[in-house]
Amino acid sequence: MTSDADLMLPSREPVVLLDPDGRPTAAGRASMPDAEALLRGLAGMVAARRFNEQASVLVRQGRLAVYPSSYGQEACQVAAAQVLADDDWLFPTYRDTAAVVARGVDPVEVLGLLKGDWHSGYDPYERHVAPLTTPLATQLPHAVGVAHAARLRGESTVVLALCGDGATSEGDFHEALNFAAVFRAPVVFFVQNNQYAISVPLARQSAAPSLAHKGVGYGIPGEQVDGNDLAALLVVLSAAVDRARAGAGPQLVEGRTYRIQAHTNADDATRYRSDDEVAEWAAKDPLQRLETYLRTEGILDDARAAAFADAAEQVARRTRDGINQDVEPNPDDLFGFVYAEPTPQLVEQLAMVRDELSREEGQR
């Protein structure tokens, strides 16, 4: 950690390696990630975009109760998963389903919560991915706790905790940053600033120069990055993860991006933002930006692009087929996953449910 305020301040402008037209900036020419990392990132974004599209269709078909789309934020989603080692942990929000899929979790299991089948449809320990979190910022103190525990055990684990701009107004956000700074926890807070907390614009969320500046008050360095530039995200997030792993403590990273689609399928975004604003951000599409650069540099050809599209379609098919299968609920599951050791009350309630079901079955 450092007490030098100048070293904690983020850059005046977000770090950008590729401009919206896919051209390298001056910084990009010097520090562009290698071709393999960029190709992996593009493949992940193509799959994430297709996953977002498929999930949105499943909502309209009544197969999902709700879906908070990350359409337009795919660069943030994929980069967050890509910079982590296998033993690192990812703490997502409800909007970070694409990041969880990119981390290797079965897409059908990822959507179990949003279908209403489970509180979390996957085993968090299998891929080191915490459950999707709907209440804003509540996962952040948990993320710090995991990071602090890893440090106490002498492990090299780093935790990357995702949140949105709205979460930075919550008390849990501030408590998590303070705890992480004091205990030098190896955690990276990644704020995906998509400009709106449901219908509330950023200007009514914070008066700070940037959300990245919020770390300074806790002794945490911050950085701003173009959240639609996968190359810049890989560089900034990788550096933050490496720094945390080396024992230098936490860091706050703000990715400037945009939620192209509505907050959820229940939201009418036209009530609080204009079509012109959406079109302006759509022109900064992260997939098109990276693909343009890779084709211009001769790194990406039609055959490889088609392979990425085919792989993304397989993800969509797996998602569609899995969600379209009806699940026979087991009433015992209401009680079996509350505590490691059931309380007397849970045992009593389980017996009551079993008795009621048995009597109903006998009357048929």
Side-chain angles (χ1 to χ4, degrees):
M1 299 287 288
T2 176
S3 59
D4 188 334
D6 290 336
L7 296 178
M8 287 187 285
L9 288 172
S11 55
R12 288 184 174 272
E13 297 295 332
V15 176
V16 184
L17 301 188
L18 291 173
D19 71 17
D21 295 322
R23 295 181 299 235
T25 63
R29 293 187 182 92
S31 54
M32 190 70 65
D34 63 52
E36 191 58 39
L38 294 177
L39 286 170
R40 180 184 169 196
L42 179 62
M45 287 198 295
V46 172
R49 175 67 55 87
R50 186 67 186 90
F51 177 75
N52 274 315
E53 294 170 344
Q54 182 61 75
S56 296
V57 170
L58 289 167
V59 171
R60 294 195 293 272
Q61 293 174 343
R63 284 297 182 175
L64 292 180
V66 66
Y67 184 66
S69 176
S70 58
Y71 193 108
Q73 298 179 219
E74 291 89 353
C76 290
Q77 300 277 297
V78 171
Q82 189 167 331
V83 299
L84 296 177
D86 290 343
D87 290 336
D88 294 336
W89 274 86
L90 179 70
F91 274 71
T93 74
Y94 58 87
R95 195 177 300 283
D96 298 319
T97 50
V100 177
V101 172
R103 184 72 170 149
V105 179
D106 186 317
V108 178
E109 294 182 351
V110 172
L111 294 176
L113 167 69
L114 301 174
K115 187 180 180 183
D117 288 342
W118 292 93
H119 293 300
S120 174
Y122 53 89
D123 179 0
Y125 293 97
E126 182 178 355
R127 299 285 183 176
H128 286 197
V129 178
L132 297 170
T133 308
T134 300
L136 295 190
T138 57
Q139 80 281 8
L140 300 182
H142 301 161
V144 176
V146 169
H148 180 50
R151 181 173 179 270
L152 291 177
R153 290 194 294 261
E155 299 171 354
S156 62
T157 301
V158 172
V159 177
L160 197 155
L162 300 171
C163 69
D165 46 296
T168 66
S169 298
E170 297 289 331
D172 285 318
F173 172 84
H174 301 280
E175 292 160 9
L177 264 64
N178 193 55
F179 190 107
V182 170
F183 289 94
R184 299 172 60 86
V187 57
V188 176
F189 300 97
F190 181 28
V191 181
Q192 295 175 77
N193 177 5
N194 64 15
Q195 312 304 315
Y196 287 93
I198 307 183
S199 59
V200 180
L202 180 65
R204 295 182 59 190
Q205 285 286 324
S206 173
S210 76
L211 297 180
H213 279 78
K214 291 195 172 188
V216 177
Y218 302 98
I220 296 177
E223 187 56 277
Q224 301 181 77
V225 58
D226 187 329
N228 285 12
D229 179 359
L230 182 108
L233 285 162
L234 290 178
V235 169
V236 171
L237 289 175
S238 292
V241 168
D242 290 345
R243 182 179 176 279
R245 202 183 311 280
Q251 183 166 341
L252 175 63
V253 176
E254 175 191 357
R256 298 281 189 90
T257 184
Y258 195 79
R259 167 171 54 79
I260 294 295
Q261 296 182 338
H263 175 70
T264 68
N265 52 292
D267 173 43
D268 179 10
T270 61
R271 294 182 299 108
Y272 55 84
R273 65 185 192 183
S274 68
D275 291 342
D276 288 344
E277 179 183 301
V278 176
E280 178 184 351
W281 278 93
K284 304 174 184 179
D285 182 67
L287 276 76
Q288 186 61 49
R289 183 185 304 200
L290 182 57
E291 181 174 348
T292 297
Y293 169 75
L294 292 174
R295 285 188 179 277
T296 301
E297 295 295 312
I299 299 171
L300 178 70
D301 56 21
D302 289 343
R304 181 163 276 179
F308 291 166
D310 289 344
E313 194 55 45
Q314 291 178 23
V315 173
R317 186 180 303 111
R318 162 67 183 145
T319 304
R320 181 171 60 248
D321 293 346
I323 294 298
N324 282 333
Q325 293 181 6
D326 291 325
V327 177
E328 186 67 30
N330 181 356
D332 287 8
D333 289 341
L334 290 171
F335 310 95
F337 301 98
V338 182
Y339 296 107
E341 294 292 334
T343 64
Q345 293 87 349
L346 286 173
V347 172
E348 180 183 357
Q349 292 166 7
L350 173 59
M352 289 175 58
V353 169
R354 285 177 173 174
D355 180 62
E356 291 178 9
L357 292 174
S358 177
R359 284 188 281 108
E360 286 181 5
E361 186 66 29
Q363 295 173 359
R364 292 179 182 174

